Amino acid sequence: MKKQEDFIICRCENIYMSEIDEILRQGADNARELKLKSRAGMGFCASRTCGPFIEALTQDHEEAPTYINLKAQPPIRTVSIEDFIKEDAHD
């Protein structure tokens, strides 16, 4: 059961702050590791909502330039007109 003061960090994957705290206590020290262990940032929005918070929480914005920050991508993919025409032909 979640505590009343607990709040959701990642709405897409339903990850709470208490889960993030536990992963940090277990030794995760950067946003990438936190993302991989919690699945925060792996949902539909591709970390556009929770990514900046996780990076700030782990202070990755202060890391050396060799660190790769979380990558945000659009949640949609392009579909060609040709693909639509093929679908209509099958109906």
Side-chain angles (χ1 to χ4, degrees):
M1 183 86 180
K2 303 290 180 211
K3 297 178 185 174
Q4 187 154 352
E5 63 271 5
D6 205 1
F7 58 95
I8 292 180
I9 298 296
C10 179
R11 293 180 291 175
C12 300
E13 293 291 324
N14 201 30
I15 307 298
Y16 284 83
M17 185 63 193
S18 60
E19 296 171 77
I20 298 293
D21 283 340
E22 181 60 32
I23 292 169
L24 288 170
R25 276 193 291 274
Q26 292 173 358
D29 62 351
N30 62 53
R32 179 168 167 67
E33 188 175 356
L34 190 58
K35 177 182 174 181
L36 292 172
K37 289 182 176 183
S38 70
R39 293 204 40 85
M42 293 187 176
F44 185 73
C45 79
S47 79
R48 279 196 238 145
T49 304
C50 61
F53 178 76
I54 290 173
E55 287 179 351
L57 186 64
T58 57
Q59 300 176 347
D60 282 342
H61 60 279
E62 298 173 5
E63 290 286 322
T66 57
Y67 178 77
I68 300 170
N69 287 325
L70 296 177
K71 182 178 177 184
Q73 296 177 342
I76 57 174
R77 64 180 179 90
T78 57
V79 178
S80 69
I81 298 296
E82 187 176 294
D83 290 337
F84 281 117
I85 293 170
K86 288 178 186 174
E87 284 294 319
D88 286 340
H90 294 317
D91 289 338

